[in-house]
Amino acid sequence: MERVMRRFVVVVVTVMVVVVGCGRDAGTGSAAGTATGTGTGTGTGTGTGTGTATGTATGTGDRASLDLTPDRFLARGAPTFVVGTLGDDAADRAIATQAALIQGLLPGATIVADTSIDLAAGPAAWPANPVLYGGAHVNAVVAALGDELPVRITADALVVGGEDFSGAGARVIAAIPPGPRHPALVLYAGTGTPGIVDINATPHGGEPVLVADAFGRLTAGAWQRGPDGRLTATLAPRARRIAWRFVERDVAGTPVRIGFPAQLPTAPDDDAIADAVATGLADAATRLGIATPPGITTYVYPDRGSKRSLTGDAGDGHAVAIAGALHVVRGDVARGWDRLIAHEGAHVLVGLAWGPAGSPLLGEGVAVWTSGAYATVPLATWATRLDARPAAATLLPPAAFRGRPEAEAYPLAGLLVTVAVEQVGLAGVRDHLYAATAATWAEACARAGTTPEALDAAVAARR
């Protein structure tokens, strides 16, 4: 499958654009926006047509702090990730996993809990280069700062620059200038709980503030300081969005929506496409042991160009787990197109139920295992085709996994999860292996009741 739920790389030398995701269409360059906001956000992409709105600061002469971007912020030194702990155990674990995923890519980065920050002690008491994960509903620091921050983000609301962006999957990534009780910081937060799953996947870094929705980048802008000294964002016009015509299907008692562009006439195979979406999602939920799947919306595009124009991603399919959304190009139902749905659906189901994966190896492995195939070829067939069987530990670093041909890396990942499920059960994969990073792999295997060597031997024997 060609999942483009995006690039699992650190772009530039500092920006944290990272995803556990599929993608022959994925690039490894900077995803930072330009002043004019053109491009696609993939490869060396420069945004998705949302650009940075410019303006003049009033009153304070702090243009440098107002122009701070995530790129520039992270160039100052190793970050300290401040993870939220206001959510339930699952939310807290998901936030910690997302931060650990990025920490492994940035030498010297550290992680602290939101409870370690003493706001009364002022900015000087904060750790160096703080990067906050989670909105006010899951991060105590964001909640305590309240209106001192120029964005408002809760489980069901996002307001930036006086504009309401509330909705499923709404998220903000912003470099925020210093205030009376906080130093300059970067914030990653979204609606929903925990609101951070795969948030680093959104191409970003070159604008002080970026807002995204279920389709991707929606707008970006710059900070301005008013006569009262308060910050607000001046935002560019929102990216193009279109009307959709929806039909519904039932998946394990949950209604799911399948959307077709409203400007296109109904096609003879629309019902078959909708049925295939339901089949793929139902198969994925059953395989993953998720008895009550969430309501997922699948957007079906007539071709890759249409998909790229609205999402910045021209792959056959990609998932936006934080929004409970799939974006797929219409395919041939008779040739196993529902396996693409199962693969992408697995990313959403697992992202919402289990949280972020600790590596692309396990993230893609679970999706390939769930669908039972890669590029419509059964995983058992791939087992007879693959020659090299490198140790899993060598594929856990994102660059190592992405550095191999997709037609080799994805089936290998699927085989690893296959043997892992056989050895420790799906619960062992879910609870221990799925969130493991290269640094924690051996420990995770021990907790699950196996060893790296046992897993590698089983993969090598699968022919």
Side-chain angles (χ1 to χ4, degrees), residues 78-394:
T80 303
F81 299 112
V82 182
V83 297
T85 62
L86 282 184
D88 58 19
D89 288 346
D92 292 351
R93 282 195 306 272
I95 294 173
T97 299
Q98 185 72 21
L101 172 66
I102 310 303
Q103 179 192 25
L105 301 169
L106 296 174
T110 56
I111 298 177
V112 301
D114 51 6
T115 53
S116 70
I117 306 296
D118 181 6
L119 291 179
W126 282 60
N129 304 318
V131 175
L132 276 58
Y133 273 100
H137 53 303
V138 292
N139 190 301
V141 174
V142 177
L145 286 172
D147 290 343
E148 293 178 44
L149 296 176
V151 303
R152 182 168 70 87
I153 175 69
T154 66
D156 53 12
L158 172 60
V159 178
V160 181
E163 295 189 43
D164 188 346
F165 296 96
S166 303
R171 51 207 184 275
V172 61
I173 301 171
I176 298 177
R181 294 198 294 168
H182 67 84
L185 58 87
V186 169
L187 174 66
Y188 288 86
T191 57
T193 299
I196 51 75
V197 175
D198 286 339
I199 193 168
N200 288 89
T202 307
H204 68 279
E207 307 99 341
V209 57
L210 167 76
V211 177
D213 64 3
F215 292 84
R217 292 166 51 99
L218 182 59
T219 186
W223 300 117
Q224 308 298 328
R225 200 179 295 279
D228 61 356
R230 296 181 65 85
L231 288 172
T232 190
T234 301
L235 299 173
R238 300 189 185 194
R240 183 173 70 97
R241 298 293 183 256
I242 65 171
W244 293 83
R245 168 174 48 85
F246 291 101
V247 298
E248 284 193 357
R249 292 293 187 271
D250 180 273
V251 174
T254 298
V256 298
R257 300 195 307 164
I258 300 92
F260 303 92
Q263 64 263 46
L264 298 181
T266 301
D269 64 342
D270 277 359
D271 281 342
I273 289 287
D275 290 344
V277 169
T279 296
L281 293 177
D283 288 352
T286 299
R287 184 83 157 149
L288 293 165
I290 298 175
T292 306
I296 292 174
T297 300
T298 300
Y299 298 92
V300 182
Y301 299 81
D303 51 59
R304 286 176 174 241
S306 299
K307 183 168 174 285
R308 181 192 288 274
S309 72
L310 290 173
T311 68
D313 188 327
D316 284 342
H318 74 272
V320 184
I322 195 172
L326 304 185
H327 299 272
V328 295
V329 176
R330 180 187 290 266
D332 187 345
V333 173
R335 298 185 63 183
W337 184 74
D338 62 322
R339 295 305 87 197
L340 172 67
I341 302 299
H343 182 116
E344 303 302 342
H347 284 299
V348 172
L349 292 169
V350 170
L352 295 179
W354 299 3
S359 71
L361 175 66
L362 269 297
E364 291 305 334
V366 167
V368 172
W369 172 81
T370 299
S371 68
Y374 168 73
T376 72
V377 176
L379 193 53
T381 302
W382 281 107
T384 68
R385 296 180 179 179
L386 296 171
D387 293 324
R389 305 294 174 97
T394 66

